């Protein structure tokens, strides 16, 4: 049965504190300085990741990630069905909570996809591959 | 904010139909007025989300949510606390029990995640998810339930 994709959600909020499939990235803790008072933190190991299913309609989407940057944080790789759509650097010389980073991508078909956040690399100045995330939102633009 | 990039994701999944166009993740905000009985919405700096919805300990108080679920296999996960006076969560879909979660612990434990897995949904459609504080561990002193979040995830 065909679906009118114009009736599908154009905004998907991801609660990052739940138990998604992961490799070394399932720890949650209260953080009073963080948006939503919590952080999902990886172990700091290279290639730590977590994945979750999202249903996207065809179109152009933004993915915005709220995260905590700092001197031990790595580079976030964002993948859909294991294809990298972009990266952003979580390294800062000092801890900076509630940072926002946004990537855009095109979806050609409507259906279920797997969103993965992976700590594959790091800035040369960073001392680790740590990942620390507060929230994720996907927004369809077109 | 970093500069956005545009990437094209190849079409690797099946086309749209009624079931695969429905969400695989359903988040339920427990801080909305979805409860029956006496609950208190308590601000708590030690809790993720900064608050907990805590029942008064009366037996059989409940939360109830209307949602649409696709047919398939689902996991129901609760973010909650544990403690010496916490009861057992009985989870029902359309009045049928699908599992229980014991929130008793000898000491207070915040930000706990507990799941009921392999919940089978036979037909796509509107469902009522209910959580009832019906029973308690024999070691617990009460039926209190303290909720922070509920999530349903389809796994197959």
């Amino acid at each position: 049965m065909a679906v009118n994709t114009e009736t599908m959600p154009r905004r998907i909020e991801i609660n990052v504190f739940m138990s998604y499939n992961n490799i070394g990235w399932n720890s949650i803790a209260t953080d009073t300085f963080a948006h939503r008072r919590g952080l999902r933190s990886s172990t700091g190991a290279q290639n730590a990741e977590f994945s979750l299913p999202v249903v996207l309609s065809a179109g152009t989407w933004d993915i915005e990630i709220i995260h905590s940057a700092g001197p031990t944080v790595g580079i976030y790789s964002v993948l859909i069905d294991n294809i990298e759509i972009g990266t952003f650097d979580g390294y800062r010389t000092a801890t900076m909570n509630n940072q926002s980073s946004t990537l855009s991508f095109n979806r050609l078909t409507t259906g279920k996809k797997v969103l993965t956040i992976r700590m594959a690399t790091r800035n040369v100045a960073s001392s680790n591959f740590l990942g620390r995330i507060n929230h994720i939102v996907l927004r369809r633009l077109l | 904010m970093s500069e956005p990039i545009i990437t094209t994701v190849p079409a690797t999944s099946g086309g749209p139909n009624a079931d695969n166009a429905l969400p695989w993740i359903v988040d339920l905000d427990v801080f909305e007025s979805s409860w029956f009985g006496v609950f208190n919405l308590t601000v708590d700096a030690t809790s993720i989300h900064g608050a907990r919805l805590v029942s008064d300990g009366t037996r059989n108080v409940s939360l109830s949510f209307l949602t649409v679920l696709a047919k398939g296999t689902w996991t129901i996960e609760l973010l909650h606390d544990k403690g010496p006076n916490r009861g057992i969560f009985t989870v029902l879909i359309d009045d049928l029990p699908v599992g229980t979660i014991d929130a008793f612990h000898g000491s207070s434990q915040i930000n706990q995640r507990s799941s009921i897995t392999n919940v089978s949904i036979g037909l796509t459609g509107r469902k009522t998810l209910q959580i009832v504080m019906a029973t308690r561990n024999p070691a617990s002193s009460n039926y209190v339930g303290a909720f922070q979040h509920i999530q349903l995830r389809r796994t197959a």
Side-chain angles (χ1 to χ4, degrees), chain A residues 37-95:
Chain A
R37 280 195 182 269
L39 282 174
R40 181 188 190 97
S41 299
S42 74
T43 60
Q46 188 172 16
N47 291 320
E49 66 177 43
F50 68 96
S51 299
L52 53 121
V54 289
V55 175
L56 303 178
S57 55
T60 301
W61 288 76
D62 266 357
I63 178 170
E64 181 172 3
I65 298 180
I66 312 298
H67 58 100
S68 176
T72 61
V73 179
I75 292 173
Y76 296 86
S77 297
V78 180
L79 304 93
I80 292 183
D81 279 356
N82 220 26
I83 297 169
E84 185 175 285
I85 62 166
T87 64
F88 62 89
D89 193 350
Y91 170 77
R92 304 286 189 280
T93 54
T95 297

Side-chain angles (χ1 to χ4, degrees), chain A residues 1-3 8 13-15 17-20 26-30 32 36-38 40 52-53 55 60 64 80-81 83-86 88 100-113, chain B residues 1-25 27 44-51 77-79 110-113 115 149-151 153-154:
Chain A
M1 179 168 57
V3 167
M8 293 179 64
E13 304 263 359
I14 307 292
N15 185 318
F17 304 118
M18 309 310 280
S19 299
Y20 301 115
N26 200 33
S27 174
I28 60 171
T30 305
T32 55
R36 297 174 192 265
R37 280 195 182 269
R40 181 188 190 97
L52 53 121
V55 175
T60 301
E64 181 172 3
I80 292 183
D81 279 356
I83 297 169
E84 185 175 285
I85 62 166
F88 62 89
S100 169
S101 296
T102 301
L103 302 167
S104 295
F105 60 96
N106 290 329
R107 275 282 298 123
L108 298 181
T109 60
T110 296
K112 175 240 184 183
K113 310 297 282 184
Chain B
M1 182 181 297
S2 60
E3 288 296 315
I5 62 167
I6 299 293
T7 301
T8 298
V9 178
T12 56
S13 66
N17 62 46
D19 290 334
N20 73 14
L22 285 170
W24 281 55
I25 295 179
D27 285 293
D44 179 3
T46 68
S47 293
I48 287 173
H49 297 309
E77 184 173 29
L78 273 59
L79 179 60
I110 61 168
N111 302 327
Q112 301 295 297
R113 291 174 295 194
S115 296
H149 193 70
I150 301 169
Q151 185 179 77
R153 285 191 304 278
R154 186 177 162 196

Side-chain angles (χ1 to χ4, degrees), chain B residues 11-75:
Chain B
T12 56
S13 66
N17 62 46
D19 290 334
N20 73 14
L22 285 170
W24 281 55
I25 295 179
V26 176
D27 285 293
L28 302 175
D29 185 348
V30 300
F31 304 128
E32 298 169 3
S33 301
S34 54
W35 58 82
F36 298 90
V38 178
F39 282 84
N40 294 301
L41 184 48
T42 306
V43 175
D44 179 3
T46 68
S47 293
I48 287 173
H49 297 309
R52 287 176 293 174
L53 181 69
V54 184
S55 77
D56 70 346
T58 304
R59 191 175 187 181
N60 290 325
V61 299
S62 66
L63 303 181
S64 183
F65 302 89
L66 271 178
T67 187
V68 172
L69 300 179
K71 71 177 179 182
T73 305
W74 290 76
T75 290

Side-chain angles (χ1 to χ4, degrees), chain A residues 21-25 42 47-51 82 116-119:
Chain A
N21 291 336
N22 75 94
I23 302 169
W25 200 347
S42 74
N47 291 320
E49 66 177 43
F50 68 96
S51 299
N82 220 26
T116 300
I117 313 295
R118 180 180 296 156
M119 305 309 294

